Amino acid sequence: MKIALFVTCLNDTMFPGTGQASVRLLRRLGHEVDFPTAQTCCGQMHFNTGYRRQTVPMVRGFAEAFAGYEAVVTPSASCAAMIRDWHPKIAVEEGDGGLSGRVAEVVPKVYELSEFLVDVLGVTDVGAYFPYRVTYHPTCHSLRMLHVGDRPLRLLREVRGIDLVELPEATECCGFGGTFALKNSEVSAAMCADKVTNVRSTGAEALCSADNSCLMHIGGALTRTRSGVRTVHLAEVLAATEDDRA
Amino acid sequence: MPAFPEAARRAVADTRLRHNLAHATGTIRGRREAAVAELDDWQALREAGRQIKDHVLADLGHYLRLLEERVTEAGGTVHWARDAAEANRIVADLVKATGETEVVKVKSMATQEIGLNEALAEEGITAYETDLAELIVQLGHDRPSHILVPAIHRNRADIRDIFRREMPDAPAGLSDSPAELAEAARRHLRAKFLSAKVAVSGVNFAVADTGTLVVLESEGNGRMCLTLPETLISVMGVEKLVPSWRDLEVFLQTLPRSSTAERMNPYTSTWTGISPGDGPRDFHLVLLDNGRTATLADEVGRQALRCIRCSACLNVCPVYSRAGGHAYGSPYPGPIGAILSPQIRGIGSPVDASLPYASSLCGACFEACPVAIDIPEVLVHLRARAVESSRKHPMERAVMGIAGWTLRSPARLGMAQRAASASRWVVGRGGRIRRLPGPLKAWTDTRDAPAPPRESFRAWWARTDGGRNEEGGK
Ligand code: SF4
């Protein structure tokens, strides 16, 4: 299958390892992966902060960059949710029929990584090896906007060598929320502190999640508090193999 | 009232308050989930509630006229109030006409919204709250901080101190045992019930085709107010209507389970006008607009008017449980307050302008809401309106403008990434940044920021031909 990877602006700029892991993983599963270089950003930060007009060119850019692929896969649940929930509505609001048409064509082919693996490729055992104690934080957008359910956990349970431990109060928001972390930094930090306490209580060596935005937030507090717990994106766990250790 | 982030700061710093709130909301949250899980048609009930409310809102004028007609036929008098001042004036005049200077009150969100107690006080009329938690708030010269548990921020010792100080008939040596506190309140209130000639109530639901009003409560104090006094004045927001008696079946299931996690609320009182020889001899209904028809005009925002004030959204909200109810600057705190207050009051004040941002958009409120109000959708909508209508925050505008300009073009994004990579040695020793400048400082106060990587994904892709030429390749 010819897959286009939507790496997202945050991953591209700050967490290139996640994109690279996604490429390795999908190729290992036998698929052709392309990175359309015209891609930039889904527009979520502007949209959620109220700068709605500014998201229109990003919606347009996304639809153009990803036209013509069989599937668009992204290692970011919240960007997938933004695209699926909002791009069609923004296009309609804009009153540009051509744009609406292009968006309507692309959006149904957009998948978050775990959805794509489980629902489209039908795999849960991706042949990964990750010999660490790991706990999983299901992000709000993956849970409540995308409804990915337990797909990430089904994938993680098949990883060889992993010691997957349950995170207490897993479904609680970590307090990132895009610009919320800046606009309401005290409340955000209080939410993050509780998340960190729960993560540390598991004794995990690594915190895994399907969104680097949340991991950046929680990870920032994990290193600040010298917890020794590192953060790792779901794609990186799933891409890891025994060869990596050799 | 300061903007939300400043008001929340105090609560966040108060560890005892935060602990109390987390404990109280955590407990009720778990019980609510269990109560909801008992019904296998919960989603259908939620959808039915949504539809009934939307149907009424779509034809509000018709149903209000019908209600007025039926209440009048049943011997009641209907008054229309455009705003808080008008509503307060009407109630004050009605009380004065009875010659009384004291009224008893059933807990009511609408009368808190309009500041009725304060308005009556200016006319020399004392209003006594009879709901236990409201009584605690009132005696403590405080503001409610929760829709359902207005004194959620108070503990037993606080309550004992308030009673000892403010309740003239409190027994000497009152302890902080719940039984003693409840008994003291009961005795205090009983004297009020027996002497009161006028009562003021809110309304949970009004049935248009019979003119029946409905109040749901837990303690039975409300029922005393509704039946003992000679004059009853009920104040309701115009959105409280349902078309017919039959529609109550939905809300009498969803409201108690969502609010107190009970299968049924202990007291459901209904009354239709007046009945000779039974209950009040004089009944008045004040229909309050106060920003509601303006809210109705907003296609996205109007769904806030479906709210049945169950407070489920408060109890699941991670922001409410840290910031506390007072930070929202209105009797409607939490997620519903964040969308309702700026709509009914407008976004003129600092607190109302900041409320649409008082959320991480985690979506827990939407999931919990028994009438399926998409609170995150309305929040984002109100943010867009705030940005469009205000010229404030020039810094944020500039940042968003530059970010938007950069993110519109892959070439410009690539350039920005190269600049970030070049700065990594300056800013990030050990791969983490401990202090960021300007508005980003708020981030690094409590969290490290990652240093930009040596190479962006885009640059890696170009250099290695999509990873195919990577030396020692993975
Ligand atoms: S918005 Fe929904 S959950 Fe919140 S108080 Fe109103 S009805 Fe209850």
Side-chain angles (χ1 to χ4, degrees):
Chain A
M1 195 182 301
K2 193 157 159 72
I3 302 166
L5 195 62
F6 174 47
V7 174
T8 84
C9 63
L10 180 74
N11 290 334
D12 183 3
T13 309
M14 299 303 292
F15 302 96
T18 299
Q20 290 160 8
S22 308
V23 173
R24 281 206 305 281
L25 172 64
L26 293 169
R27 284 211 184 116
R28 193 172 78 218
L29 295 172
H31 300 279
E32 214 182 301
V33 184
D34 194 14
F35 171 77
T37 51
Q39 66 177 279
T40 55
C41 168
C42 68
Q44 185 175 197
M45 177 180 75
H46 284 81
F47 184 77
N48 280 353
T49 312
Y51 292 79
R52 209 155 177 151
R53 300 281 324 148
Q54 296 211 25
T55 59
V56 177
M58 298 186 219
V59 171
R60 196 184 302 279
F62 183 88
E64 281 163 10
F66 289 99
Y69 287 92
E70 279 173 83
V72 180
V73 177
T74 181
S76 165
S78 78
C79 299
M82 168 72 196
I83 293 159
R84 208 175 293 165
D85 279 13
W86 286 109
H87 279 203
K89 291 183 197 155
I90 293 168
V92 168
E93 256 174 45
E94 189 57 15
D96 175 343
L99 177 61
S100 286
R102 286 195 294 282
V103 168
E105 232 182 274
V106 168
V107 165
K109 297 184 214 157
V110 175
Y111 300 93
E112 182 271 335
L113 181 65
S114 74
E115 286 180 329
F116 183 73
L117 294 171
V118 175
D119 299 354
V120 182
L121 300 186
V123 289
T124 46
D125 183 352
V126 297
Y129 174 72
F130 196 77
Y132 301 99
R133 194 177 172 90
V134 175
T135 194
Y136 184 77
H137 167 60
T139 63
C140 298
H141 286 181
S142 75
L143 271 180
R144 302 193 191 92
M145 284 178 81
L146 221 50
H147 303 289
V148 300
D150 67 346
R151 289 180 187 82
L153 287 169
R154 280 158 64 194
L155 290 159
L156 286 172
R157 277 186 214 117
E158 302 286 342
V159 172
R160 274 171 275 292
I162 201 168
D163 176 12
L164 195 61
V165 286
E166 203 181 313
L167 178 65
E169 294 174 47
T171 59
E172 275 278 300
C173 179
C174 71
F176 172 62
T179 48
F180 173 78
L182 296 173
K183 283 181 179 278
N184 279 285
S185 59
E186 269 94 356
V187 177
S188 164
M191 290 160 71
C192 192
D194 292 342
K195 183 61 75 180
V196 163
T197 304
N198 284 322
V199 169
R200 294 180 77 156
S201 77
T202 64
E205 295 160 272
L207 171 69
C208 177
S209 170
D211 272 292
N212 271 327
S213 46
C214 305
L215 286 178
M216 175 174 75
H217 171 68
I218 309 168
L222 284 169
T223 63
R224 178 63 61 90
T225 55
R226 300 177 197 285
S227 67
V229 185
R230 65 182 169 118
T231 54
V232 57
H233 191 281
L234 178 67
E236 295 176 299
V237 175
L238 299 181
T241 60
E242 289 193 63
D243 293 346
D244 297 339
R245 318 241 316 153
Chain B
M1 183 71 203
F4 182 83
E6 281 87 75
R9 189 167 296 147
R10 267 169 253 155
V12 171
D14 184 342
T15 41
R16 200 184 64 166
L17 172 69
R18 244 170 77 193
H19 175 82
N20 288 348
L21 277 172
H23 181 73
T25 55
T27 309
I28 181 87
R29 192 189 313 185
R31 288 174 45 213
R32 183 195 66 90
E33 257 168 44
V36 164
E38 281 182 354
L39 296 182
D40 48 20
D41 60 346
W42 182 257
Q43 291 306 333
L45 281 169
R46 201 173 171 235
E47 177 58 19
R50 185 183 75 77
Q51 285 188 14
I52 292 167
K53 283 285 188 176
D54 277 352
H55 171 80
V56 170
L57 290 172
D59 210 357
L60 192 59
H62 161 73
Y63 284 113
L64 282 170
R65 281 190 294 275
L66 185 60
L67 179 75
E68 178 179 35
E69 206 179 291
R70 293 296 140 89
V71 170
T72 312
E73 278 167 14
T77 312
V78 174
H79 309 261
W80 299 81
R82 246 175 315 225
D83 55 21
E86 250 181 47
N88 288 333
R89 177 83 268 139
I90 292 165
V91 177
D93 286 347
L94 287 170
V95 178
K96 280 203 247 168
T98 66
E100 295 295 318
T101 56
E102 292 190 346
V103 302
V104 287
K105 281 185 71 198
V106 199
K107 177 175 176 296
S108 148
M109 299 304 298
T111 61
Q112 275 170 20
E113 175 187 325
I114 59 177
L116 179 68
N117 292 6
E118 295 76 8
L120 290 179
E122 276 174 29
E123 306 274 347
I125 300 161
T126 313
Y128 294 100
E129 294 292 348
T130 64
D131 171 89
L132 179 56
E134 277 297 334
L135 175 70
I136 295 164
V137 168
Q138 188 180 37
L139 291 177
H141 307 289
D142 196 1
R143 286 178 294 129
S145 64
H146 191 280
I147 292 178
L148 213 78
V149 200
I152 196 169
H153 57 297
R154 296 291 199 184
N155 64 24
R156 279 170 12 202
D158 290 343
I159 296 168
R160 179 204 52 205
D161 294 345
I162 292 170
F163 280 11
R164 278 186 181 169
R165 198 173 59 233
E166 303 284 343
M167 200 187 265
D169 46 357
L174 178 66
S175 84
D176 68 357
S177 89
E180 272 191 47
L181 293 174
E183 183 57 24
R186 187 175 298 132
R187 285 178 181 284
H188 172 76
L189 289 172
R190 189 165 300 164
K192 301 286 178 228
F193 289 133
L194 292 176
S195 64
K197 299 267 189 299
V198 185
V200 175
S201 89
V203 175
N204 286 104
F205 302 100
V207 180
D209 69 358
T210 57
T212 304
L213 303 182
V214 186
V215 158
L216 275 60
E217 42 130 8
S218 302
E219 294 166 4
N221 292 340
R223 174 159 298 180
M224 307 276 263
C225 294
L226 295 167
T227 48
L228 289 177
E230 287 165 16
T231 301
L232 173 61
I233 305 166
S234 299
V235 182
M236 72 172 243
V238 289
E239 82 283 16
K240 293 278 151 193
L241 273 168
V242 295
S244 70
W245 188 263
R246 172 89 200 258
D247 300 309
L248 293 175
E249 103 182 74
V250 173
F251 302 108
L252 293 184
Q253 294 182 76
T254 53
L255 180 54
R257 283 180 199 261
S258 303
S259 54
T260 49
E262 288 167 306
R263 297 181 176 129
M264 233 182 124
N265 56 289
Y267 295 88
T268 302
S269 304
T270 71
W271 68 102
T272 311
I274 49 167
S275 317
D278 183 21
R281 272 173 264 158
D282 202 9
F283 170 63
H284 296 271
L285 175 62
V286 181
L287 293 169
L288 174 71
D289 184 326
N290 206 32
R292 286 163 175 76
T293 46
T295 303
L296 197 54
D298 186 307
E299 272 177 48
V300 178
R302 70 168 63 129
Q303 55 185 307
L305 298 178
R306 292 207 291 261
C307 177
I308 55 173
R309 312 281 189 258
C310 72
S311 72
C313 58
L314 277 63
N315 296 327
V316 299
C317 179
V319 175
Y320 173 84
S321 73
R322 272 83 176 187
H326 289 157
Y328 294 82
S330 120
Y332 306 111
I336 182 61
I339 61 168
L340 192 61
S341 307
Q343 293 201 88
I344 61 180
R345 301 196 296 212
I347 48 173
S349 72
V351 67
D352 287 319
S354 66
L355 283 176
Y357 293 93
S359 165
S360 64
L361 304 179
C362 79
C365 48
F366 178 26
E367 204 175 55
C369 178
V371 284
I373 301 174
D374 191 339
I375 296 176
E377 179 189 18
V378 181
L379 287 166
V380 170
H381 170 75
L382 294 176
R383 291 176 187 187
R385 266 185 24 195
V387 165
E388 268 158 36
S389 69
S390 117
R391 295 281 117 207
K392 281 186 226 145
H393 308 298
M395 178 76 161
E396 178 182 292
R397 257 168 208 286
V399 170
M400 291 307 243
I402 294 165
W405 179 78
T406 310
L407 289 170
R408 270 203 293 280
S409 137
R412 291 194 290 257
L413 177 57
M415 235 161 61
Q417 287 168 341
R418 283 191 295 279
S421 295
S423 73
R424 64 183 261 106
W425 305 111
V426 188
V427 293
R429 251 165 289 150
R432 313 296 304 181
I433 302 173
R434 288 179 180 266
R435 191 179 296 149
L436 284 167
L440 293 173
K441 184 182 166 294
W443 180 282
T444 45
D445 279 347
T446 51
R447 292 149 288 209
D448 293 341
R454 212 164 277 128
E455 185 177 49
S456 69
F457 179 87
R458 186 178 300 272
W460 170 82
W461 182 271
R463 180 174 62 80
T464 63
D465 185 22
R468 278 173 282 259
N469 306 330
E470 201 162 22
E471 312 87 54
K474 282 188 180 175

